[in-house]
Amino acid sequence: MLNVCELYKSIQGESTHAGRVCAFVRLSGCNLSCSYCDTRYAFEDGAPRQVEDIVDEVGALGCDLVEISGGEPLLQDETPALCAALVAAGRTVLVETNGSIDIAKLPDGCIRIVDIKCPASGMEGSFRIENIAALCERDECKTVLCDKSDFDWALSFVRKHNIHKRCTVLFTPASGRLNPADLAAWIIDSHAPVRMGLQMHKVIWGEDARGV
């Protein structure tokens, strides 16, 4: 059983898959509390669901791309089983995790999108450093940045650990806290080995829309 907050079809708003039609399975519960969190409702909202029922509902949505998110999906023991079942059903499976839990528990075939929490998140130091060794080319690392100090910190971290040589790295401005044009300028000026990301779903539907 998994505690599911919501399940819906929308446009993927982030990662290198942004713009694609995607089924989202948002699981409940989180072990962090980031300053810019926009899904606090997922900390507690939710209902228990069987893995098989989730796979069937995703199938009914007709999406080849599926994202498992939260909250923090790796808090739930059955998440790897759900991922394996979706991969076996022929889906491309993205798992968005906050980076504090071992990503190696996820089955082969998943694409791990791993957050690196910057100082302004309030969760600096939560990243499980051993996750770097588990990253492979198909995975992605993401940082959400609130200011120039975050940018400098994140760029130093990425270069120190050569994360950009293991997988794609995305730098995303925190909505309402960092001007995207400023982030773009910093990336250009520093020749940062990263890809800039925007939260496309917020551009389309606004800040507080749920189920998109």
Side-chain angles (χ1 to χ4, degrees):
M1 299 287 284
L2 284 159
N3 201 33
V4 179
C5 176
E6 54 187 355
L7 197 162
Y8 58 93
K9 178 169 65 173
S10 186
I11 294 293
Q12 175 59 248
E14 301 181 80
S15 80
T16 61
H17 297 270
R20 295 181 61 188
V21 178
C22 181
F24 291 86
V25 182
R26 186 181 303 282
L27 301 181
S28 303
C30 193
N31 58 328
L32 301 183
S33 183
C34 298
S35 64
Y36 46 72
C37 180
D38 56 3
T39 51
R40 292 188 183 276
Y41 61 85
F43 288 13
E44 296 181 359
D45 287 3
R49 303 279 299 279
Q50 296 280 358
V51 168
E52 295 80 3
D53 293 336
I54 298 170
V55 173
D56 287 345
E57 188 167 345
V58 167
L61 293 176
C63 299
D64 294 329
L65 182 67
V66 185
E67 176 168 305
I68 314 299
S69 67
E72 173 45 56
L74 294 185
L75 285 176
Q76 300 197 41
D77 292 339
E78 291 299 307
T79 297
L82 172 61
C83 294
L86 288 167
V87 170
R91 313 296 175 194
T92 298
V93 179
L94 314 177
V95 182
E96 185 160 355
T97 173
N98 64 30
S100 69
I101 300 173
D102 184 8
I103 64 171
K105 65 175 67 178
L106 290 166
D108 291 342
C110 287
I111 298 168
R112 288 86 58 93
I113 301 174
V114 186
D115 278 10
I116 300 170
K117 301 299 183 182
C118 296
S121 73
M123 296 290 112
E124 179 188 358
S126 64
F127 185 75
R128 187 179 189 274
I129 203 70
E130 292 84 359
N131 279 338
I132 295 174
L135 292 167
C136 62
E137 187 176 0
R138 68 173 176 269
D139 297 325
E140 302 179 13
C141 277
K142 182 186 78 173
T143 66
V144 177
L145 310 170
C146 295
D147 51 35
K148 184 60 161 58
S149 293
D150 270 1
F151 175 82
D152 293 338
W153 182 92
L155 184 57
S156 175
F157 188 91
V158 166
R159 285 176 165 159
K160 176 182 177 181
H161 297 287
N162 288 315
I163 297 174
H164 57 294
K165 296 181 180 179
R166 303 191 70 93
C167 67
T168 298
V169 179
L170 295 106
F171 279 12
T172 300
S175 183
R177 295 182 64 172
L178 176 58
N179 187 333
D182 290 338
L183 176 54
W186 301 337
I187 290 173
I188 294 166
D189 290 345
S190 63
H191 298 281
V194 304
R195 181 168 176 165
M196 183 168 169
L198 295 173
Q199 293 177 303
M200 185 182 292
H201 52 291
K202 292 189 176 184
V203 174
I204 299 170
W205 290 290
E207 290 290 329
D208 301 320
R210 182 169 168 174
V212 297

